[in-house]
Amino acid sequence: MSEDETRKDDRSVFRTILGWIIYLVIIVLLTYLIVTFVGQRTRVSGSSMETTLSDGDNLIVDKISYRFRDPKRYEIIVFPFQYEDNTYYIKRIIGMPGETVQVKDGYVYINGERLDSDIYGNELMEDPGIFEEPVTLGEDEYFVLGDNRNHSSDSRDPSVGIIKGSNMIGRAWVRIYPFSKFGVIKHE
């Protein structure tokens, strides 16, 4: 083999290695951008969203929708728990900004009217918590509940309270595990 052929082979190996490095950098960069701005995997821990979501369900959270539109009533959202790092809550939006919310006789009242369209709660609420008296939500404030109302730490609990829209990570979008329940999560 001549010296020119050896140099060509060395350059070919170098180009192949460089190509793989560039490919891996692009994959890592795209993964980072997707996880940071588009979607994130999260795992349901606990029974507060039964029967809609179960303990151990794995979800993809849509992090981009709320950049283009406001959250809607009954959407299932993910937000960080304010008192513990790397802990996220999954709840359903019930009260919207500007509304007056009260929990009375086990039901949610919005602006003094019982919210009859709330078909997601498994039972009447036993504890109204901090919403025993009417509370008017401010701009960018939301009242959230778990579907398993009597087994949920949600807006009624002072440790959770009212959720700011700016603190929402996103909305639950797709259940990816268990495979038998794989699919888009219905919000309404």
Side-chain angles (χ1 to χ4, degrees):
M1 189 187 287
S2 73
E3 197 173 309
D4 285 339
E5 289 174 339
T6 303
R7 285 187 189 158
K8 285 180 185 177
D9 285 346
D10 288 346
R11 279 188 238 145
S12 176
V13 168
F14 176 74
R15 284 184 181 158
T16 301
I17 291 171
L18 184 61
W20 276 103
I21 290 172
I22 291 171
Y23 175 75
L24 290 173
V25 166
I26 290 171
I27 294 297
V28 168
L29 182 64
L30 286 174
T31 301
Y32 171 77
L33 291 173
I34 288 171
V35 168
T36 302
F37 298 108
V38 179
Q40 172 180 321
R41 188 193 67 78
T42 193
R43 183 178 171 272
V44 176
S45 179
S47 63
S48 73
M49 286 300 293
E50 292 281 353
T51 58
T52 306
L53 300 173
S54 301
D55 185 40
D57 284 0
N58 282 267
L59 314 173
I60 298 293
V61 178
D62 166 13
K63 295 170 70 174
I64 201 165
S65 290
Y66 295 156
R67 295 177 191 269
F68 301 104
R69 67 169 181 81
D70 291 331
K72 297 177 184 172
R73 189 180 325 273
Y74 303 127
E75 287 186 327
I76 300 171
I77 61 159
V78 176
F79 58 94
F81 181 54
Q82 60 184 336
Y83 298 112
E84 193 172 331
D85 289 341
N86 297 317
T87 300
Y88 298 93
Y89 276 18
I90 301 172
K91 305 294 175 196
R92 188 178 299 276
I93 295 174
I94 303 295
M96 305 296 289
E99 294 180 335
T100 299
V101 180
Q102 182 179 14
V103 176
K104 183 170 66 174
D105 302 324
Y107 295 99
V108 174
Y109 287 78
I110 303 287
N111 300 327
E113 300 287 323
R114 191 168 124 187
L115 185 63
D116 291 324
S117 61
D118 179 15
I119 59 170
Y120 301 100
N122 291 341
E123 64 263 327
L124 292 179
M125 289 176 274
E126 296 169 1
D127 182 13
I130 61 175
F131 281 83
E132 186 170 20
E133 297 298 322
V135 175
T136 300
L137 301 174
E139 186 177 319
D140 196 42
E141 291 184 337
Y142 297 84
F143 173 76
V144 299
L145 292 172
D147 289 354
N148 193 358
R149 304 284 158 85
N150 291 320
H151 302 90
S152 176
S153 293
D154 46 42
S155 285
R156 297 169 295 157
D157 185 329
S159 70
V160 177
I162 295 168
I163 304 302
K164 293 264 190 199
S166 57
N167 291 336
M168 294 178 192
I169 302 295
R171 67 185 186 107
W173 178 40
V174 176
R175 182 181 357 236
I176 57 174
Y177 185 83
F179 300 123
S180 61
K181 294 182 178 179
F182 181 89
V184 174
I185 296 169
K186 292 183 173 37
H187 291 267
E188 295 182 45

